[in-house]
Amino acid sequence: MRLRALLRRREAERELDAELRYHLERQIEQNVAGGMGREEARRAALKEFGGLPQAKEYCRDARGVRVVEDLWHDVRYGARLMLRSRGPALVAVVALALGIGANTAIFSVVNSLLLRPLPYRRPEQLVKAYQSAPDPSKGMLPSVWSYPRFEILRGESRSFAAVAGHTQNPYNLTGTDEPERLQVEMVSAGYFPLLGVEAAAGRTFTAEEDGAGAANPAALLSHGLWQRRFGGDERVLGQTVELDKRAFTVVGVLPPGFRGQTGTADAWVTMAAAPLLRYPKILTNANNAWFQVVARLRDGVTAEEARAEMAAVSQRIERQHPGPKQAMQAGARVVTLAPLRAAKLDPAVRNSFLILLAAVGLVLLIACANVANLLLARGVARRREFAVRAALGAGRGRIIRQLLAESLMLSLLAGALGLLVALWGVELIKQFRPSDDAQFWSAYTRAFDFFPIDLDGRVLAFNFLLALLTGLLFGLLPALQSSRADLGRALKDGAASTPTGFHRLRRLNSRGLLVVSEIALSLVLLAGAGLMLKSLSRLHAVDLGFDPANVLTMAAPSRDAKPEFYEQLLARVAALPGVEAAGLGSTAPLLGHASMTSLGIEGRAEGNEAGVGLHSVSPDYFKTLGIPVLRGRAFTERDRPGAPRVALVNQTAAAQLFPGEDPVGKRIKPSMTPEYETDEKSVEIVGVVGDARYGRLEGAVEPDVYLPAWQPTDAAQTLVLRTSAEPAGVVSAVRREVRALDRNVPVASVRTMDARVAEVTSRARFITFLLGIFAGLALLLAAVGIYGVVAYSVSARAREVGIRIALGAQRADVLRLVLLDGLPLVAAGLALGLLAAWAAARVLRSQLYEVSASDPLIFAGVTALLAGVALLASLVPARKATKVDPANVLRAE
């Protein structure tokens, strides 16, 4: 190693001495031309350089200047070549721009979701505190807190500088001409200091305003609500607004862009308002968990140290407030911590965009292979130029530098054009983004509302570095191959300079290897798109349990409205023209469960309670949605207060709770929320209805229990209407009926059930759509690559084809010869692609529904498709080869 370094240093010194002699001789010649003698001219030259050391330093500087000049010369020469062959250069730039732009667009989403810091003070210190490990697969709040348990955590943990609670629920803005359904975040007073968020006008909450029984409930407004409803007038500070007819004093306006932990909050109130807006004992009930907790680690405290302390804190919480008997044993629940960013983002969304980033990276690799093939072909056409330059003294490194400069020019132009593609792609993603529905995102932030997606500095740097890397990637192989010029063969003319025999195409040389890579990568993308497409079709084929056609859902929420209000509203709506049937429920299918509860069964020992979804519905609810009654009866108008309490169960609940038995006539004991508790604890099951899906289509149907809306139960505030024509046509009429009954009740969440079905499949459709685009682009690029290789081979061997035809070869023989010679490349690419696709499909498992990641039909289908496209791409130049005129070819020879 030392000897090698010494030799390199000596070589550098010799080069520097040669450089020095060159500049000294040049200066001496100038001095002699000025009339000096030879010796005088030499001394003057050395004096001008300031002696030998300064002369050497001058030579080093001159060498650097010459390198810059050479690079500028390379750039100008490459630009002239690009202008001379504008067509191929334009094709290369466009292909690369699509790949770079698509990568930049997908990276902008990944950057926003995973890399950009949260918009809070020192976000790395923020953690989410769970009472137990969350379960992201359920699409529900993974772990929420009751207020008494939260107070122990806040008071006894030493690892946290601050702890705050927060939850978000919809409430009505009342007392105005136009009531509006607002998303209101209920927080503890330390919430805003913990995050480092200050009011843009006014102030945030004080500790006194968060105390139990606070006299004057305070409220904060989002900047958007302040502008929209109050015209940005600061005189709103100190005035009162009504939420569900409760007065709140506006004390501040939050800065633009801040909309709480979900990115959708319109207003904020303190937890002291929970007894007003929820139920009176909510702050003292230790077993009613209803909000989430965020904390800030103290300076110098690591997350591991905080987790270790949580075991002791959890024991104190369980000792003072033991959970219900059906919950885990006391002490089994240990507070779990997670970084706030990780806790806010749905893992399914994160995985989806990482998969898309990998997929679009494959597209760029295929584009690079295509451009590399193009440059290899140009390199063969320019081999005489490179040989001449080498004969005149240009070293191999000089030629490589020239070719890399040309490649980088192409890639940087493509990167600039790719920014425009990325801007378009980001807008496309925003427009066709997966639905941020609360059912699926209640445990996480609504990603596209909370994380702004744009082209920031990091994304621009990614675009520039990707362009540079792309230029090196597709330019290095052609540069290395073109720089190995065979002077003897390259300087000759005629047949000797042209490869002979179609067998050259069979070899895995540089161009063949690139084509094999293109085919393999295309097969990976096609297989992924095929699997997602089949998964989406299976998802669309799921039995919903109801008929969504011409069904409209909307909410008419009012906390204070009596059942009589909704009974009158239902009667008015049912009588509207075009309405065939109308029902009322605490929720509707595919909107998520209104509430989950534990269910006891009369005659069975305590501790065997089951978790079920609890629904409050009107008698015509099942008729409106087309949910069949399988056994017993449905609810009737006689199921009112004073009548025996009754219930219906769905088919899944009947099978799970009463296996092998008839549930009709059995009595169950649903656990009601405190505001709807009654003296009568058990109800009789009077019927079994079909399974309707309220949760994810990908999950199993959950057991559901239905109670009559006119008996004391959870509020039923969601209207479901079946119409004879387009459902949207009755919305204005329903609004008029609601306003006629109560001017403070807004109509919100209006949507057709068909649109709702589209929403719950939007994530799968989104990924399938983008993967399909990437796979189609990859297929097109692969076809172009195969065509280019075969077409070049045919044109390079036109003499051989002419001789074969002159000797009697039929056109079918030539066609077969060309196609069969390209077959090894296609076969090698397909074989390699199948192995790569099989390995890559494992990553897609979490995105698939009832589809195997190694589905043989999908793999066989995409293999046949790619083989067919490769055959067509080879057929075009092959047919051209059959039309070669032997006379013209031999005359040219």
Side-chain angles (χ1 to χ4, degrees):
M1 294 293 290
R2 291 179 179 175
L3 180 60
R4 197 175 303 154
L6 179 61
L7 290 174
R8 280 199 299 268
R9 282 198 300 270
R10 288 182 177 177
E11 180 65 25
E13 287 295 329
R14 282 197 296 271
E15 290 180 3
L16 185 60
D17 289 342
E19 190 87 14
L20 175 60
R21 285 195 299 272
Y22 167 78
H23 287 287
L24 282 175
E25 288 295 335
R26 188 175 177 183
Q27 188 63 43
I28 289 171
E29 291 299 331
Q30 290 179 359
N31 291 343
V32 170
M36 292 185 183
R38 191 76 183 176
E39 184 61 27
E40 183 184 5
R42 189 182 69 80
R43 287 195 301 268
L46 282 174
K47 183 177 181 181
E48 185 172 340
F49 278 115
L52 192 59
Q54 288 79 4
K56 288 188 176 183
E57 188 63 33
Y58 170 82
C59 291
R60 289 191 180 94
D61 294 340
R63 177 182 295 177
V65 170
R66 210 163 71 235
V67 168
V68 173
E69 291 176 349
D70 288 343
L71 285 176
W72 177 238
H73 175 271
D74 292 341
V75 170
R76 288 185 300 167
Y77 182 67
R80 288 198 301 270
L81 287 177
M82 287 176 60
L83 291 175
R84 193 181 304 161
S85 54
R86 290 185 291 272
L90 182 61
V91 170
V93 168
V94 170
L96 292 172
L98 289 174
I100 294 174
N103 273 272
T104 303
I106 299 297
F107 178 78
S108 68
V109 181
V110 173
N111 173 56
S112 298
L113 299 185
L114 302 179
L115 303 179
R116 183 182 294 167
L118 294 176
Y120 306 132
R121 175 176 58 86
R122 300 188 66 181
E124 70 279 359
Q125 291 184 325
L126 298 176
V127 296
K128 205 69 170 289
Y130 303 100
Q131 286 196 95
S132 56
D135 184 2
S137 65
K138 293 185 178 179
M140 305 166 56
L141 290 175
S143 182
V144 287
W145 291 76
S146 67
Y147 199 79
R149 286 172 170 262
F150 164 70
E151 286 187 310
I152 296 175
L153 176 71
R154 181 170 58 179
E156 298 196 14
S157 59
R158 298 293 174 263
S159 299
F160 301 139
V163 181
H166 65 91
T167 188
Q168 185 170 307
N169 294 101
Y171 296 99
N172 294 341
L173 178 64
T174 55
T176 67
D177 292 336
E178 288 293 332
E180 183 179 350
R181 192 70 165 165
L182 300 180
Q183 291 293 329
V184 179
E185 194 171 37
M186 192 175 291
V187 301
S188 58
Y191 174 78
F192 295 104
L194 181 148
L195 298 177
V197 175
E198 298 180 352
R203 59 174 176 81
T204 58
F205 299 132
T206 65
E208 292 73 20
E209 289 167 332
D210 193 29
N216 298 309
L220 295 168
L221 306 179
S222 71
H223 193 272
L225 179 65
W226 180 50
Q227 293 287 339
R228 187 177 73 250
R229 294 301 299 255
F230 303 98
D233 189 351
E234 291 195 10
R235 288 178 295 181
V236 72
L237 299 177
Q239 297 182 10
T240 60
V241 295
E242 288 186 4
L243 297 175
D244 278 4
K245 301 181 182 179
R246 271 69 175 175
F248 289 81
T249 302
V250 178
V251 298
V253 176
L254 292 174
F258 180 78
R259 297 195 65 187
Q261 293 301 297
T262 65
T264 58
D266 298 304
W268 288 259
V269 297
T270 65
M271 287 188 170
L276 295 175
L277 296 175
R278 303 289 289 268
Y279 72 96
K281 296 182 179 180
I282 192 170
L283 295 181
T284 58
N285 189 334
N287 291 323
N288 187 5
W290 55 283
F291 62 90
Q292 300 180 64
V293 169
V294 62
R296 178 178 291 278
L297 297 174
R298 291 186 184 278
D299 291 339
V301 175
T302 65
E304 289 71 21
E305 293 170 342
R307 290 189 185 98
E309 186 200 16
M310 289 302 101
V313 173
S314 300
Q315 291 179 2
R316 290 194 288 272
I317 292 174
E318 293 296 335
R319 280 198 302 269
Q320 294 187 43
H321 301 292
K325 294 180 181 179
Q326 68 270 23
M328 300 178 183
Q329 296 181 353
R333 291 188 296 187
V334 177
V335 176
T336 305
L337 304 179
L340 184 58
R341 172 177 283 280
K344 292 175 75 62
L345 184 62
D346 188 342
V349 174
R350 179 195 60 212
N351 295 339
S352 297
F353 278 98
L354 289 178
I355 289 171
L356 290 175
L357 185 61
V360 78
L362 295 183
V363 174
L364 182 58
L365 287 177
I366 296 172
C368 287
N370 254 352
V371 177
N373 256 328
L374 175 64
L375 294 184
L376 282 171
R378 287 184 61 195
V380 173
R382 296 171 61 189
R383 62 185 180 276
R384 183 176 177 82
E385 171 198 338
F386 298 141
V388 170
R389 295 180 66 176
L392 294 176
R396 188 181 180 193
R398 182 69 184 80
I399 295 175
I400 291 176
R401 189 178 69 193
Q402 170 67 50
L403 293 174
L404 285 180
E406 296 173 13
S407 301
L408 289 174
M409 285 179 61
L410 286 174
S411 64
L412 290 176
L413 283 174
L417 183 59
L419 282 177
L420 298 178
V421 176
L423 285 171
W424 176 78
V426 167
E427 292 304 315
L428 183 68
I429 290 172
K430 289 179 180 179
Q431 184 176 355
F432 295 101
R433 68 186 189 181
S435 173
D436 287 353
D437 184 76
Q439 174 192 346
F440 300 106
W441 299 69
S442 57
Y444 305 101
T445 294
R446 298 186 176 190
F448 290 90
D449 291 320
F450 185 85
F451 298 102
I453 300 172
D454 50 30
L455 303 184
D456 62 5
R458 185 184 283 112
V459 175
L460 296 178
F462 172 84
N463 175 271
F464 177 72
L465 292 176
L466 186 62
L468 286 179
L469 180 62
T470 299
L472 294 175
L473 187 63
F474 72 75
L476 189 57
L477 179 61
L480 290 174
Q481 182 159 314
S482 298
S483 65
R484 293 198 298 265
D486 185 343
L487 297 183
R489 290 189 62 185
L491 293 175
K492 294 178 182 178
D493 293 323
S497 64
T498 303
T500 60
F502 278 99
H503 66 278
R504 291 293 299 253
L505 187 58
R506 292 196 185 106
R507 300 180 185 175
L508 280 182
N509 53 21
S510 299
R511 303 197 74 205
L513 189 60
L514 289 173
V515 170
V516 169
S517 302
E518 287 185 62
I519 295 173
L521 294 176
S522 300
L523 186 58
V524 172
L525 287 173
L526 285 170
L531 290 171
M532 286 301 305
L533 186 61
K534 186 171 183 179
S535 175
L536 182 61
S537 67
R538 291 284 177 86
L539 204 58
H540 281 301
V542 169
D543 183 12
L544 302 175
F546 64 95
D547 180 11
N550 288 343
V551 173
L552 182 71
T553 66
M554 61 183 73
S558 175
R559 182 176 181 271
D560 296 327
K562 304 298 182 185
E564 292 78 12
F565 167 82
Y566 288 104
E567 190 171 359
Q568 294 176 33
L569 176 61
L570 198 58
R572 288 182 174 222
V573 169
L576 290 174
V579 175
E580 294 182 344
L584 197 68
S586 49
T587 187
L590 301 181
L591 295 180
H593 288 86
S595 62
M596 301 292 292
T597 187
S598 58
L599 183 75
I601 300 175
E602 197 171 79
R604 297 184 187 178
E606 292 187 4
N608 294 323
E609 290 82 358
V612 298
L614 193 64
H615 305 269
S616 173
V617 301
S618 68
D620 285 339
Y621 178 84
F622 303 104
K623 173 186 173 183
T624 304
L625 289 169
I627 300 174
V629 178
L630 303 178
R631 288 196 296 279
R633 68 173 178 88
F635 297 138
T636 68
E637 295 296 332
R638 296 190 300 273
D639 297 319
R640 295 178 172 274
R645 296 193 67 197
V646 294
L648 298 172
V649 296
N650 70 343
Q651 197 170 4
T652 297
Q656 292 184 7
L657 302 179
F658 306 98
E661 302 179 59
D662 185 358
V664 177
K666 299 291 181 26
R667 300 190 69 83
I668 54 178
K669 296 181 286 185
S671 176
M672 304 293 292
T673 54
E675 61 263 49
Y676 296 108
E677 286 183 349
T678 63
D679 294 333
E680 188 177 358
K681 299 299 183 183
S682 66
V683 299
E684 180 184 356
I685 298 175
V686 296
V688 179
V689 298
D691 289 335
R693 289 184 174 269
Y694 290 88
R696 293 175 178 269
L697 293 186
E698 299 91 337
V701 177
E702 295 182 345
D704 289 314
V705 173
Y706 298 90
L707 300 176
W710 312 144
Q711 291 184 344
T713 182
D714 288 350
Q717 303 174 336
T718 300
L719 285 166
V720 290
L721 313 176
R722 181 172 294 280
T723 62
S724 57
E726 175 59 37
V730 303
V731 174
S732 58
V734 174
R735 290 186 190 275
R736 287 195 300 269
E737 297 298 337
V738 173
R739 292 294 302 274
L741 289 173
D742 190 335
R743 58 185 295 272
N744 286 313
V745 177
V747 174
S749 303
V750 179
R751 71 186 86 184
T752 64
M753 195 57 77
D754 284 330
R756 179 64 194 140
V757 173
E759 285 178 1
V760 297
T761 59
S762 63
R763 185 181 299 171
R765 282 189 291 106
F766 179 77
I767 300 173
T768 304
F769 172 71
L770 287 185
L771 273 181
I773 289 179
F774 299 155
L777 185 58
L779 188 63
L780 176 63
L781 290 173
V784 171
I786 295 169
Y787 169 82
V789 168
V790 177
Y792 168 76
S793 179
V794 168
S795 63
R797 295 167 180 83
R799 177 175 177 272
E800 178 186 348
V801 172
I803 293 174
R804 287 177 179 271
I805 294 175
L807 294 176
Q810 300 298 313
R811 296 186 185 277
D813 297 328
V814 175
L815 186 66
R816 182 171 57 254
L817 179 66
V818 176
L819 292 179
L820 289 179
D821 271 22
L823 184 61
L825 295 180
V826 176
L830 292 176
L832 185 62
L834 282 172
L835 292 176
W838 181 84
R842 308 279 87 78
V843 181
L844 276 178
R845 278 177 175 170
S846 62
Q847 309 292 327
L848 301 177
Y849 174 69
E850 292 187 353
V851 175
S852 170
S854 54
D855 189 293
L857 291 178
I858 294 297
F859 278 70
V862 298
T863 302
L865 173 63
L866 190 52
V869 170
L871 178 63
L872 290 175
S874 303
L875 190 61
V876 175
R879 286 177 59 85
K880 183 178 179 181
T882 64
K883 299 177 182 179
V884 170
D885 187 346
N888 291 335
V889 172
L890 296 177
R891 188 181 302 116
E893 290 295 321

